[in-house]
Amino acid sequence: ALDQKQGLQLLCGTETLKEKASPSYIGVRQQHHHFSSSVTVEIQNLSEGKKAGIAYVQSNEYHLRVEADKEAAELILCQAGKDEILGKVGLSGESELEIQMMIDGLEAQIEIINSKKEKLLTSGRIDIRALSTEVAGGFVGCTVGMYAVSNHQTEDRACFKAFTYMEG
């Protein structure tokens, strides 16, 4: 659902990006080799077992994602179906986050910023070569977008206040 005041309300589905299913994910096709994308997401309303964030997806077995709940945010690289946590930051007391993803060829950088514009986590350069069609297979390339998940059936929704995609 799209609400003028609250933004996009995305259902927290039980299917993850790692499954051959229909996860709660809305993305746009990558159009440039060098781009930045960001989401602003409310985390204070994410009850236990629910997470929301941004994902850069090649397939269910190859993607880069940031998942946040009201306690913590994790930066996860999935290669050949196996997750590797590249970074984690506590979020106690935060109400919303801006998560920025910058893609520069075969490298990515992530920044997690709170509502006071303080950087809570800045990743180093992340090698995303495994997300290329040469390694991961396929032929359609990657998408980037908003992602929400729950570890149990629910009608709860994650609230995304903004999404951007910009070349450069």
Side-chain angles (χ1 to χ4, degrees):
L2 191 57
D3 181 277
Q4 264 187 336
K5 293 181 182 179
Q6 295 183 351
L8 177 70
Q9 304 290 313
L10 186 60
L11 183 67
C12 294
T14 57
E15 292 84 10
T16 69
L17 287 173
K18 293 175 64 172
E19 297 174 58
K20 288 187 177 182
S22 296
S24 294
Y25 173 72
I26 296 178
V28 297
R29 177 87 37 219
Q30 176 183 350
Q31 298 292 314
H32 308 91
H33 291 290
H34 309 279
F35 73 91
S36 64
S37 186
S38 69
V39 298
T40 302
V41 60
E42 283 186 7
I43 59 169
Q44 67 187 7
N45 297 330
L46 293 173
S47 60
E48 190 173 327
K50 296 170 192 67
K51 296 181 179 186
I54 191 169
Y56 180 61
V57 180
Q58 201 285 337
S59 71
N60 64 305
E61 293 189 337
Y62 293 90
H63 52 269
L64 177 67
R65 66 188 192 274
V66 177
E67 296 179 346
D69 59 22
K70 60 185 172 184
E71 301 298 324
E74 291 183 327
L75 169 57
I76 304 163
L77 178 62
C78 180
Q79 298 180 83
K82 295 180 180 155
D83 283 349
E84 177 184 359
I85 297 173
L86 303 179
K88 185 173 182 172
V89 62
L91 300 174
S92 182
E94 300 295 341
S95 60
E96 76 178 35
L97 297 176
E98 178 182 356
I99 307 168
Q100 297 179 349
M101 181 177 286
M102 290 78 64
I103 304 294
D104 186 14
L106 296 174
E107 293 183 325
Q109 279 191 278
I110 304 292
E111 289 184 349
I112 299 175
I113 303 164
N114 68 11
S115 57
K116 298 174 200 159
K117 301 298 180 197
E118 300 166 328
K119 291 181 184 178
L120 304 177
L121 181 129
T122 301
S123 75
R125 295 197 170 272
I126 302 165
D127 183 351
I128 56 170
R129 186 180 340 250
L131 278 64
S132 68
T133 55
E134 292 81 9
V135 175
F139 60 91
V140 296
C142 293
T143 60
V144 63
M146 298 163 281
Y147 173 58
V149 66
S150 175
N151 65 8
H152 60 277
Q153 196 67 36
T154 182
E155 290 298 315
D156 290 352
R157 297 171 186 269
C159 178
F160 291 90
K161 292 188 166 190
F163 172 78
T164 65
Y165 176 98
M166 296 176 14
E167 180 182 12

